[in-house]
Amino acid sequence: MGGVAGMRGRQTVRGMFQSLAVIMVAAGVMYLFIPHDEDANPVQAKDYRIELLTAQRAAPYPVLAPEGLDKEWKATVVSYKREKGDAWHLGFLDPDTQYVSLHQSTAEPKEFVPDVTQQAANTGKTQTVAGQVWQRWEGPKYDALVRTDGKATTVVTGTASFERLAEMAAALQSKKV
């Protein structure tokens, strides 16, 4: 009896190896014949013009968006939420593929800013960008430039350097609708 069980065990192992070989051949064939482009950029830029117009009409403050940034900046996220303090959010990947986002809201700054900056804290330092004074915030994940104008707080935040954040802040414009 021991000989029959041993033969069956060897046949099972051999069958498993044969099955594995067939799977590997099939995977190799699929890899060779299915088109793929390792150099393609997987991030597609988002057109945010409609959301911007909607936010500009609805918000009780001048809604900002960048103008004149290099084409390498890619918008990836856009939203306007009236029910959350008229919150405007526009996110980008910068030319170095770091995240930079613009947030505006009429929400209470002491709650709004730490929320959108992933718990950054005010450093007490300021930075002048395009003639406007911004507070510098630093955090474990995001740094930020922050300013309050009237009832709205504007935050430029992300994983990018302060230089890139300032580049975004300098490009911000508001258009009347």
Side-chain angles (χ1 to χ4, degrees), residues 58-102:
Y61 56 83
V63 173
L64 300 172
E67 288 190 18
L69 288 175
D70 188 290
K71 290 182 181 182
E72 292 180 22
W73 287 78
K74 291 187 169 105
T76 58
V77 179
V78 61
S79 69
Y80 176 74
K81 295 182 180 169
R82 176 172 276 194
E83 69 279 3
K84 295 206 175 198
D86 294 295
W88 168 241
H89 174 206
L90 187 55
F92 287 82
L93 283 183
D94 76 3
D96 301 320
T97 66
Q98 293 297 308
Y99 186 63
V100 176
S101 66
L102 162 67

Side-chain angles (χ1 to χ4, degrees), residues 42-172:
V43 177
Q44 297 296 319
K46 183 170 183 75
D47 184 355
Y48 57 89
R49 291 178 292 185
I50 292 172
E51 290 91 343
L52 176 60
L53 287 172
T54 301
Q56 287 173 330
R57 288 186 178 123
Y61 56 83
V63 173
L64 300 172
E67 288 190 18
L69 288 175
D70 188 290
K71 290 182 181 182
E72 292 180 22
W73 287 78
K74 291 187 169 105
T76 58
V77 179
V78 61
S79 69
Y80 176 74
K81 295 182 180 169
R82 176 172 276 194
E83 69 279 3
K84 295 206 175 198
D86 294 295
W88 168 241
H89 174 206
L90 187 55
F92 287 82
L93 283 183
D94 76 3
D96 301 320
T97 66
Q98 293 297 308
Y99 186 63
V100 176
S101 66
L102 162 67
H103 296 267
Q104 287 184 280
S105 178
T106 58
E108 182 61 40
K110 64 184 173 191
E111 294 173 15
F112 173 66
V113 178
D115 181 42
V116 299
T117 62
Q118 306 276 330
Q119 305 307 313
N122 190 343
T123 65
K125 299 176 185 174
T126 61
Q127 181 172 343
T128 301
V129 178
Q132 296 180 326
V133 177
W134 295 74
Q135 299 170 348
R136 284 179 70 133
W137 288 54
E138 293 180 4
K141 185 170 182 177
Y142 291 166
D143 292 329
L145 295 173
V146 178
R147 73 180 179 85
T148 301
D149 188 20
K151 293 182 178 181
T153 300
T154 301
V155 180
V156 177
T157 188
T159 58
S161 66
F162 274 108
E163 291 78 24
R164 287 288 192 199
L165 299 178
E167 187 177 347
M168 171 62 78
L172 296 178

Side-chain angles (χ1 to χ4, degrees), residues 1-59:
M1 278 292 211
V4 171
M7 267 180 39
R8 284 189 182 152
R10 283 188 288 254
Q11 288 175 342
T12 302
V13 170
R14 185 175 60 205
M16 287 183 348
F17 280 118
Q18 288 171 340
S19 296
L20 181 60
V22 169
I23 291 170
M24 296 300 289
V25 167
V29 168
M30 285 190 288
Y31 179 80
L32 288 174
F33 291 103
I34 295 177
H36 49 280
D37 184 1
E38 287 86 11
D39 296 328
N41 188 343
V43 177
Q44 297 296 319
K46 183 170 183 75
D47 184 355
Y48 57 89
R49 291 178 292 185
I50 292 172
E51 290 91 343
L52 176 60
L53 287 172
T54 301
Q56 287 173 330
R57 288 186 178 123

